[in-house]
Amino acid sequence: MVMHALDRKLLRDFVRLWAQALAIAMVLACGVAALLTSFGTYQALGDSRDAYYERNRFADLWAPARRAPLSLLPDLAAIPGIRSVEARIEGLVTLDIPGREETAVGQVISLPASGEPLLNVPLMRKGRLPDPDAPSEVAVTEPFAKANKFELGDSFFANLNGTRRELTITGTVLSPEFIYTLGPGAMMPDNEGFGVIFMPERAAAAAFDMSGAFNSLTVGLYKGTNEAEVIDRIDALLERYGGTGAHGRDRQISDSFVSSELTQLWTMTVVLPPIFFGVAAFLVNMVLGRIVALERAEIGLLKAFGYSNAAIAQHYLMLAGLTAIVGVLIGWGFGAWLAHGLAELYARFYDFPYLIFRGSWSVYAVSAVVGIASAAFGALRVALRAAGLPPAIAMQPPAPPRFRRGFTDWLMTQLHLSQPAMMILRSITRWPIRAASSALGLSMSVAVLAAASFFNDAMDKMMETTFGLANRQDVVLIFTDNRPEIAIDEVAKIPGVIQAEGQLTEAVKLRHGHLTKYVGLEARRPDADLSRIVGGAGRVISAPPGGIVLASRLARQLGLAVGDTVEVEFLQGRRETVTLPVTATIEQYVGLAAYMDFDALNAIRRQAPQVSVANISLDPAHRAEFHRTLAEMPRLAGTAMLTDMRRSFEETIQQNITITATVYSVIAMLIAVGVTYNGARIQMSERARELASLRILGFSRGEVSFILVGEAMILAVLAQPVGWLAGLGIAWAFTQGIESDLYEIPFVIVPATFARASLIVLLTALVSALVVRRRIDRLNLVAVMKTRE
């Protein structure tokens, strides 16, 4: 193969500029890696979920009821659009696990007498499903078995409707309904303290007094079916049997969390990579612009030899293209490794039986096209300018810039600045666009770092509000049904209980116009100390007797404001509807809830004061006695250990934040290195003669170095406020993209976050500039001072 002169020049230039090219390529690689990681993980998680749902026949609808007869099933199956319908029995039970001090909670789900269910088919991992005629055999979810070190044939005890029964494990399973397994009142999975128990239908019916009846319905729909119409017809049939409202996958807890995670990954895909590609385009433009300025004579000579404008433009575009290809290859390697690792992390966090990681070529192709296009975009204008140079003019030295003394010169004189300081400021003010571009590039590194660190501040705010101010209890006891308030006196007598308070929670449907929302309506005494309503600025408030208090996110979804009225339809007991004014809205970061005064809610329900939950402050010294008592306690559906939950939540979040902060710190530093190093190298090559003149005139190395490093650092300092504002914008975009019914990330960034981001970027910029500064020591003053003709 014959290599043309321009090709040899291209390779020579690329090798000569390897350090600058590598700095640009690394920034580009960050963009490619970010795109591959976020989109690759998004695709892997979505594909794994969809395949799991399809293979194990994940239901489309769920419909809980209090007690509906099995004879209703033909009517339900006859609803147009329903493909399959399955009745089952569900219930929460407390578990006594040998060797475990704390009480665990189990969710019992019945298995049909025929064996395998029609919908939500459990995936066998080990052993077998229980014999339909064996009342004490069960299968449990695999994470629960592993966390408690259960083997096939092991046993544990369950409090089934007040009866203590020993259950034997015959198999372990995974279920598409429990990819993300949350116990009652939990915020994070606790595989050791909560498990799903699959029990034969006959045994479950006997345990929960459900012979000939069911309390849970799962439904599969034909494609294209109007889900809302089917839900209305199911609700109409189940209303008289205590139906609390059928719902689709959007309200299924596990699916909601997985879908929310997918939304978060998509937000990252949209927000982050464009920043890296934009900075890479800017760097290519900056470096290539300076190369063209230095090679004017060579460009003129090439044209004199007959090279066309297109060949000249193509030459400089290919130089940018080579840099882009290196960046893309590095990004592919790093991104594939990171996406694989992240997907496997998700697979461990979520209970997927398999992970489909296709590594689709289309993602690689898109990332390569976008990466090369961003480099081409940065190089295009410079390449066209080089192609447009007339040969005669190109072969002449560039005309020196014309400067006039202005206000800034007068001001610098009045301030009696040193000569090096005046040279720095003159360089910045006389090339304002170049200086602004460099500052903008550096601001992006500050923005990335501030936006990534914002999660730390947001989580602190969430933890403080959710656990420090609102939920201060150690334990929550959930009763199987509403009990008279006097039950709290009995709870207070349990060993270890320091303080016990009651709370009533009713399942309701809120309606405002055509907008509806299913939520829990909570009520507690105004003087409640353990579980409180927290309003703006962390202020504790009480729900007034005449109205309802809504989470502000819930109010927005229903189009409500303070002073409006909302219809409240109760879904349990007497299914009545009342209209209440909205008296206040509060910031609530986890879940959606509405609040009422305790006496007012009981009065509306025309009942003596009742509670459904007991909030407890516990003496740690009596934990063992406390849990031994709970294991024997009747009418207890479950417990939530908030102290353990809080600790687990903090540890998990802190681990994730540390990983995220480390990755984004490296990325931000790469941007800072790319911008500062390239900027300083250009300054060095442009002003080598000027700096050498200063050395000959008697300026010390320190003073000459100060000119080079000082300008880079002034631009880095000027970049900080812009970076802070951009970081705020990116953080805001994250909060908007992540918001869901499950949680909301508060938009909070404390000053220390900005300070940390600025410190890292400034130090990185200083080190990068000092690396270039070393070339001043090696300047050959004689060679530099020779005039090029």
Side-chain angles (χ1 to χ4, degrees), residues 443-518:
S443 70
M444 288 300 103
S445 60
V446 181
V448 168
L449 205 50
S453 304
F454 129 86
F455 281 107
N456 205 357
D457 303 334
M459 288 301 120
D460 285 346
K461 178 70 176 177
M462 264 180 100
M463 291 293 295
E464 181 193 356
T465 304
T466 306
F467 289 119
L469 297 173
N471 298 293
R472 309 194 306 169
Q473 65 273 53
D474 297 313
V475 186
V476 176
L477 301 186
I478 303 165
F479 301 124
T480 52
D481 47 21
N482 293 351
R483 302 190 63 189
E485 191 180 17
I486 197 171
I488 297 300
D489 295 337
E490 298 298 321
V491 171
K493 295 175 184 173
I494 298 175
V497 174
I498 299 172
Q499 187 178 358
E501 295 174 351
Q503 175 182 315
L504 177 61
T505 301
E506 293 268 8
V508 298
K509 180 163 73 172
L510 301 183
R511 186 183 298 111
H512 180 234
H514 68 284
L515 301 172
T516 60
K517 209 73 188 172
Y518 290 86

Side-chain angles (χ1 to χ4, degrees), residues 748-766:
V748 179
I749 303 185
V750 301
T753 297
F754 291 124
R756 193 183 311 112
S758 294
L759 185 63
I760 291 174
V761 172
L762 288 173
L763 284 175
T764 306
L766 179 61

Side-chain angles (χ1 to χ4, degrees), residues 620-650:
H622 295 85
R623 281 175 67 98
E625 294 172 77
F626 174 77
H627 285 288
R628 276 199 297 273
T629 307
L630 290 190
E632 305 291 338
M633 191 171 170
R635 305 183 72 176
L636 182 63
T639 60
M641 303 300 296
L642 262 68
T643 306
D644 298 342
M645 195 184 304
R646 190 180 302 130
R647 191 183 309 117
S648 170
F649 189 77
E650 284 176 339

Side-chain angles (χ1 to χ4, degrees), residues 105-126:
V105 179
Q107 180 174 349
V108 173
I109 295 180
S110 66
L111 291 168
S114 56
E116 190 177 88
L118 293 173
L119 298 167
N120 304 321
V121 181
L123 183 72
M124 286 304 306
R125 302 290 283 180
K126 195 186 287 185

Side-chain angles (χ1 to χ4, degrees), residues 595-736:
Y595 302 92
M596 275 193 70
D597 176 72
F598 184 77
D599 288 330
L601 178 57
N602 278 296
I604 286 175
R605 302 295 280 158
R606 300 195 299 280
Q607 63 191 16
Q610 292 191 353
V611 295
S612 56
V613 163
N615 297 307
I616 292 172
S617 173
L618 183 65
D619 182 354
H622 295 85
R623 281 175 67 98
E625 294 172 77
F626 174 77
H627 285 288
R628 276 199 297 273
T629 307
L630 290 190
E632 305 291 338
M633 191 171 170
R635 305 183 72 176
L636 182 63
T639 60
M641 303 300 296
L642 262 68
T643 306
D644 298 342
M645 195 184 304
R646 190 180 302 130
R647 191 183 309 117
S648 170
F649 189 77
E650 284 176 339
E651 289 173 356
T652 305
I653 292 296
Q654 193 55 50
Q655 186 182 13
N656 292 341
I657 284 176
T658 301
I659 294 171
T660 306
T662 304
V663 170
Y664 282 101
S665 295
V666 172
I667 288 173
M669 289 164 71
L670 284 175
I671 295 177
V673 168
V675 175
T676 309
Y677 180 78
N678 278 298
R681 281 295 302 269
I682 289 172
Q683 285 284 328
M684 184 71 194
S685 59
E686 280 183 344
R687 305 177 72 177
R689 185 180 172 83
E690 183 182 331
L691 298 176
S693 302
L694 292 174
R695 289 280 312 281
I696 292 170
L697 289 173
F699 280 77
S700 66
R701 285 179 179 172
E703 288 172 316
V704 175
S705 302
F706 174 71
I707 296 171
L708 184 72
V709 177
E711 181 171 339
M713 294 313 297
I714 286 177
L715 293 178
V717 170
L718 292 176
Q720 303 309 309
V722 182
W724 298 339
L725 287 175
L728 279 173
I730 296 171
W732 180 83
F734 272 131
T735 59
Q736 298 305 304

Side-chain angles (χ1 to χ4, degrees), residues 23-35:
I24 298 171
M26 289 305 294
V27 176
L28 197 63
C30 288
V32 173
L35 186 60

